[in-house]
Amino acid sequence: MAIAKRQFDAIVVGAGGSGMRAALELAEANLRVAVLSKVFPTRSHTVAAQGGVSASLGNDEPDNWHWHMYDTVKGSDYLGDQDAIEFMCRKAVEVVVELEHYGMPFDRLDNGKIYQRPFGGHTSNYGERPVKRACAAADRTGHAMLHTLYQRNVRAHTQFFVEWMALDLIRNSEGDVLGVVALEMETGEVMILQAKATLLATGGAGRIYAASTNAFINTGDGLGMAARAGIPLEDMEFWQFHPTGVAGAGVLITEGVRGEGGFLLNKNGERFMERYAPTVKDLASRDVVSRAMATEIKEGRGAGKDGDYILLKLDHLGAEVIDKRLPGIREIAKKFANVDPVTDPIPVVPTCHYQMGGIPTNYQGQVVVPDGRGGETTVRGLYAAGECSCVSVHGANRLGTNSLLDLLVFGKASGETIIADLEANSGSQQDLPKDAGDATLARLARLDSATSGETIARVGADLRRTMQLHCGVFRFPDGLAEGVRMMKDIALRSQRTFIKDKSRVFNTARVEALELDNLVETALSTMISADARKESRGAHDRSDHHERDDVNWLKHTLWFKEGNRLDYKPVKLKPLSVESFEPKARVY
Amino acid sequence: MSPRNPTLDRVRWRCRRGMLELDLVLNAFLERDFATLDPRKVEALCALLERPDPELLDFVMGHQEPAEADERELVGLMRTVNTSIAA
Ligand SMILES: Cc1cc2nc3c(=O)[nH]c(=O)nc-3n(C[C@H](O)[C@H](O)[C@H](O)COP(=O)(O)OP(=O)(O)OC[C@H]3O[C@@H](n4cnc5c(N)ncnc54)[C@H](O)[C@@H]3O)c2cc1C
C-alpha cells in the first residue's frame, strides 16, 4: 500500500522543552521544520515541572559553572560523562539568560535580576554549603518555559503537527535515518514524514512503573522507535524514585510533610525509620527512605489489604499546622488517597519520577552507537535531546533542576548541530527504501485484524506491576532474575493483544496499543540492564551488591533489542578543558 | 458493536494532559459523567479542556472558579470524582 509522504529539512518528534528549544534554533535558521506532538505543545509533560532550572548566575551570592559541574558529577555518582557535564554547566548561564530575553517571566530580586533559590545537591565551593542556583517562575516554571518557547516558535514559523503520533523511524540500508512514519489521530491516517534530520525529543517513560509521578503520555515512544530501528538504549537501569507518591495514584506528596514532623509507619504502627536511620529518621535522604520503605513492604510489613504501601502520618501536627504550613496537602490527600490527613495517615510508596538513561547521544545531540572497533560513530540523520536522551549528564542520579537545564542546553545544541550537518552535506533528500513504512503498517494491520487476544489494559497493568515489584527502588537478585523472565513473557504477550474498537478517528485504544509496544522496549531494557549490573550506584540499588564498584562497573550499559544483547562503553571521565573529577565516595 | 461517539473519542484524547493530577481526575470524570452531559455541557467541556494545565488544576483543586456558569458546574462535578485506588 502506498503511504502519503511529505518532506521537510528537519523533523522534531516532541514539543516539550527540549523539542521546542531545538525547533526554535532550526526555524530561526530558516529551515523547514515540522514538530510532531501527541498533545498540544504546552500540554507536554514539561508543564509539570515546578522547582526550577539551574544556572550559576550568581545573582544573590557567588557561584560559578565549575562548582555546578562538581555537584553534577558527584550527583551522577561518577557515571556522568564529564565532557557533556562541563558543556552543560558552562552553557547554563547563556541559555537561561536567552530564555529571559524570549520573555520567560522569572521571579526577580529587588534589583531586577533573576531570583535564585537553593535546591538539593547544589552547593558552593565543591560541596561546602547549599547555594542559590535554581531559577523559577513561581511554581509554574515548566509551564512558563513551554509557553515562552511556543510563542517564539509560532513567530519563527515552525510548523506544528498537533495530535500526531510518530510510530517508527525510517532507516536505509546504510543505517541513515530518513524521517518517521506517523499517525494523524484525527483521521487515523498514516503518513511518511521525510527529512534530512530527525530529532527525538519524546520525554521520559515513567509510565513503565505502577507507581509513577509521570503523566499518562510518558510512554517512551522515542525509546521504542530507536530500539526497533536497531539503536541501543543506554543506562536504562537508572530511574530516580521519590519516596512519597500517593499509593495507587502516584501524585507527589512534598518532602515538606516530613520536614514539618510527619513520619512513616508500617502496618504494625511502627515508626520504622528509627531502625534504618536512628538520628535523622524520616529526614534521611530520598534514597535511604525509599529503600527502607521497599524493605518493609518486601518483608511483609506493608499496610493495606495487599500489604503494598506505607503510611505517612501527620494527624499529630493538628489541622492548624497542616493547613498553615502544608497548604494543598489536605486537598491532594483527600482527592487522590481518599483520606483526610488531619485524622488518617496517607498511603504512600516510593514512586518513579525521572529516567536517567535513554537514547545514547554526544553533547552535540548526535545519536552515537558502537562502531564495532571499540569506538563509537554517529547515526547519520538522527539526533535526540531531553529526557529521552542519555548524553549522559545525569549519570546514575539526576540533581533537581538539572533536567530543565538539560532541555535548554541540549535542545539548542542539537539544533545547532543539525544546522551545521545540513550545511556540510547540502544534498537533497535521499531516496526512501522501498519497504519504508512496511513494518509499521504490519503492526497496525495486526491490530486491525485481531479478533481475539488479551486487552492492552491487562498486559500494561502486568508490565507496570512487574517493574514495580521486581525492578523498583531497591532491587533483590532473585526478584530481578524472575523479573527478566516475566518481562520477556510480557513482551511476547504484547504481540498477541487485541482491541475491540477498530475505528479511525481519535481511536485512543489504538494509540494505547501502539504506546504499549514502546513501554515494552523501555521496561525490557530496564529489567535486563538492572539484572546485569552487579553493583549499587546512584539510583540503582541492589541488596546483594551494596557498594559502588568502580573497578568493574564504571561504564555505561548499552541494551540492544535484537537478542536482548548487552554491551558496555567507558564513561568519559575527561572534561573539555578542566581537570577530571576523580570518583570518590558520595557522602553529603 | 455500538456506534462510536466521535466527540467522546476526541474529548477522551484531550483529557490526556501534561500533569498526572489532571489525567486522573479528568479520566475518572469522563467515565462517570460524560454520558449524562447535554450538548451544551459537552461544548463547555471542550472549552474547559482548551485551558492551560495549571489553570485547570486550580479549578479542580478548588483554588479558583471559572467565570462561565456551565464550566463552573462541570468543575463542580470534577471535584467530586474519587480517584483513589489504594484506600
Ligand atoms: C512532577 C514533576 C516535576 C518536575 N519538576 C522538575 C523541576 O522542577 N526541574 C527540573 O529540572 N526537572 C523537573 N522534572 C523533570 C522534567 O520536567 C522533565 O525531565 C522534562 O520536562 C522533560 O522534557 P522533555 O522535553 O524531554 O519532554 P516532555 O516535556 O515530556 O515532552 C515530550 C513531548 O514529546 C511528545 N511525544 C511523545 N511521544 C510522541 C510520539 N510518539 N509522537 C509525537 N510526539 C510525541 C509529547 O507530546 C511531548 O510534546 C519534573 C518531573 C516531574 C514528573
Side-chain angles (χ1 to χ4, degrees):
Chain A
M1 189 179 96
I3 316 179
K5 186 175 87 178
R6 294 183 67 169
Q7 294 187 329
F8 299 90
D9 292 320
I11 292 168
V12 176
V13 184
S18 60
M20 285 211 284
R21 183 62 192 82
L24 183 58
E25 209 61 30
L26 297 166
E28 287 189 340
N30 291 319
L31 294 178
R32 269 167 45 82
V33 47
V35 177
L36 274 66
S37 180
K38 290 199 285 190
V39 296
F40 192 77
T42 53
R43 276 173 225 155
S44 299
H45 189 53
T46 297
V47 75
Q50 302 189 332
V53 50
S54 55
S56 59
L57 301 173
N59 282 351
D60 204 2
E61 57 180 339
D63 195 8
N64 67 62
W65 68 265
H66 199 239
W67 293 347
H68 189 181
M69 177 179 173
Y70 168 83
D71 294 335
T72 305
V73 172
K74 177 179 169 186
S76 82
D77 219 353
Y78 300 92
L79 192 70
D81 286 333
Q82 296 195 21
D83 57 344
I85 295 176
E86 175 177 341
F87 183 80
M88 180 177 81
C89 297
R90 271 176 176 274
K91 287 275 180 189
V93 173
E94 172 190 320
V95 294
V96 166
V97 169
E98 216 164 46
L99 195 64
E100 181 188 24
H101 292 161
Y102 293 162
M104 171 95 169
F106 282 116
D107 296 342
R108 294 186 183 278
L109 293 162
D110 288 341
N111 66 11
K113 290 185 176 174
I114 296 175
Y115 168 84
Q116 298 191 275
R117 61 179 172 214
F119 219 91
H122 291 278
T123 71
S124 67
N125 206 16
Y126 314 103
E128 213 171 83
R129 59 177 184 283
V131 73
K132 296 176 187 167
R133 190 177 285 152
C135 314
D139 61 354
R140 295 186 173 183
T141 310
H143 172 69
M145 182 183 281
L146 287 179
H147 196 74
T148 306
L149 290 173
Y150 179 66
Q151 295 299 338
R152 197 81 189 182
N153 266 291
V154 168
R155 242 175 63 182
H157 305 295
T158 300
Q159 198 173 341
F160 285 97
F161 287 71
V162 176
E163 293 170 336
W164 278 66
M165 179 181 185
L167 304 179
D168 279 301
L169 292 171
I170 300 172
R171 270 186 111 176
N172 66 13
S173 55
E174 267 104 80
D176 299 352
V177 170
L178 308 182
V180 300
V181 185
L183 170 78
E184 183 181 16
M185 293 187 199
E186 168 128 43
T187 60
E189 295 301 325
V190 173
M191 198 185 269
I192 285 179
L193 302 180
Q194 191 183 357
K196 300 173 203 165
T198 301
L199 172 78
L200 295 173
T202 52
R207 299 305 305 177
I208 64 166
Y209 285 97
S212 174
T213 65
N214 285 199
F216 292 179
I217 40 177
N218 281 23
T219 50
D221 296 0
L223 304 177
M225 290 166 71
R228 283 190 294 277
I231 288 154
L233 301 180
E234 179 174 346
D235 291 342
M236 290 304 295
E237 60 272 45
F238 298 100
W239 292 82
Q240 188 170 69
F241 282 71
H242 193 290
T244 54
V246 171
V251 175
L252 273 191
I253 300 288
T254 150
E255 256 137 359
V257 168
R258 279 169 292 132
E260 290 297 337
F263 52 79
L264 297 163
L265 298 176
N266 62 21
K267 74 168 182 195
N268 306 321
E270 183 203 1
R271 186 175 180 184
F272 58 86
M273 281 312 299
E274 291 178 335
R275 267 189 283 122
Y276 296 87
T279 358
V280 285
K281 300 184 183 112
D282 299 80
L283 296 179
S285 63
R286 273 187 191 181
D287 52 333
V288 173
V289 176
S290 294
R291 197 182 317 131
M293 293 167 72
T295 308
E296 290 299 299
I297 292 170
K298 166 135 172 112
E299 293 179 355
R301 292 187 294 280
K305 72 173 176 9
D306 296 323
D308 56 359
Y309 57 78
I310 294 296
L311 298 167
L312 176 59
K313 174 180 154 68
L314 54 159
D315 59 307
H316 56 285
L317 301 178
E320 205 176 311
V321 172
I322 294 175
D323 288 342
K324 199 167 127 220
R325 299 266 184 73
L326 300 166
I329 286 299
R330 255 179 110 170
E331 287 130 300
I332 289 178
K334 280 189 202 161
K335 182 136 225 80
F336 299 105
N338 207 17
V339 300
D340 184 349
V342 165
T343 49
D344 291 298
I346 310 174
V348 291
V349 286
T351 299
C352 169
H353 191 49
Y354 183 84
Q355 160 197 323
M356 267 78 70
I359 302 158
T361 72
N362 58 22
Y363 67 84
Q364 290 103 333
Q366 295 164 311
V367 173
V368 287
V369 295
D371 63 4
R373 296 184 303 273
E376 24 178 53
T377 177
T378 57
V379 176
R380 199 135 48 116
L382 187 62
Y383 307 78
E387 196 170 330
C388 74
S389 69
C390 182
V391 184
S392 142
V393 283
H394 308 300
N397 176 55
R398 171 196 68 124
L399 293 189
T401 69
N402 262 0
S403 171
L404 290 185
L405 175 62
D406 156 1
L407 310 184
L408 295 175
V409 170
F410 297 107
K412 177 176 180 177
S414 55
E416 287 172 341
T417 307
I418 290 173
I419 294 167
D421 286 354
L422 291 192
E423 266 169 19
N425 0 293
S426 57
S428 46
Q429 306 271 3
Q430 296 194 53
D431 290 337
L432 289 173
K434 286 215 165 44
D435 62 352
D438 284 1
T440 314
L441 291 179
R443 231 162 20 110
L444 288 166
R446 187 196 70 75
L447 279 174
D448 284 342
S449 61
T451 50
S452 67
E454 280 193 278
T455 64
I456 304 300
R458 172 136 172 220
V459 179
D462 281 355
L463 178 148
R464 284 183 278 276
R465 199 172 321 118
T466 302
M467 293 308 294
Q468 190 78 26
L469 270 173
H470 294 269
C471 202
V473 69
F474 192 27
R475 297 162 180 182
F476 304 86
D478 48 336
L480 285 166
E482 172 74 359
V484 168
R485 197 193 57 68
M486 290 171 77
M487 261 318 303
K488 284 182 176 166
D489 185 50
I490 287 169
L492 290 177
R493 284 167 57 198
S494 74
Q495 291 163 24
R496 298 192 297 259
T497 49
F498 147 80
I499 51 172
K500 202 154 63 183
D501 176 6
K502 312 280 191 199
S503 66
R504 303 184 84 78
V505 176
F506 279 107
N507 183 342
T508 306
R510 198 181 192 206
V511 169
E512 285 173 355
L514 295 162
E515 288 175 333
L516 179 67
D517 290 342
N518 301 321
L519 290 167
V520 165
E521 307 303 353
T522 309
L524 200 53
S525 60
T526 299
M527 188 71 85
I528 289 174
S529 305
D531 179 48
R533 184 175 283 272
K534 305 281 191 300
E535 65 157 353
S536 290
R537 181 186 299 271
H540 174 64
D541 203 338
R542 286 182 72 118
S543 67
D544 55 340
H545 294 274
H546 203 59
E547 299 296 322
R548 195 176 78 200
D549 175 0
D550 290 330
V551 175
N552 296 301
W553 288 101
L554 187 57
K555 57 187 180 187
H556 297 293
T557 308
L558 294 174
W559 170 86
F560 293 80
K561 173 177 164 63
E562 196 178 13
N564 281 308
R565 180 167 66 86
L566 291 179
D567 195 358
Y568 293 89
K569 66 175 184 181
V571 175
K572 297 203 179 94
L573 294 170
K574 196 170 149 26
L576 298 171
S577 71
V578 290
E579 293 281 297
S580 177
F581 289 110
E582 299 292 332
K584 280 196 270 188
R586 194 166 65 102
V587 282
Y588 285 101
Chain B
M1 220 185 298
S2 59
R4 306 291 314 164
N5 176 342
T7 313
L8 173 59
D9 289 336
R10 183 186 307 262
V11 166
R12 196 189 296 286
W13 184 255
R14 302 236 161 117
C15 286
R16 290 273 209 116
R17 311 298 294 197
M19 288 178 171
L20 174 64
E21 290 86 341
L22 292 174
D23 280 341
L24 295 167
V25 170
L26 294 175
N27 283 287
F29 164 76
L30 272 196
E31 290 311 317
R32 194 191 66 181
D33 292 339
F34 187 83
T36 69
L37 302 181
D38 62 28
R40 225 181 74 188
K41 284 281 183 325
V42 171
E43 211 172 293
L45 176 60
C46 292
L48 256 185
L49 293 176
E50 292 301 310
R51 309 275 193 141
D53 277 32
E55 204 172 304
L56 257 185
L57 187 69
D58 274 347
F59 289 158
V60 167
M61 298 309 286
H63 303 148
Q64 264 186 55
E65 295 291 336
E68 210 262 324
D70 284 319
E71 293 188 14
R72 229 173 13 249
E73 218 172 295
L74 288 172
V75 164
L77 288 171
M78 288 175 189
R79 286 181 190 155
T80 65
V81 294
N82 182 353
T83 60
S84 71
I85 307 169

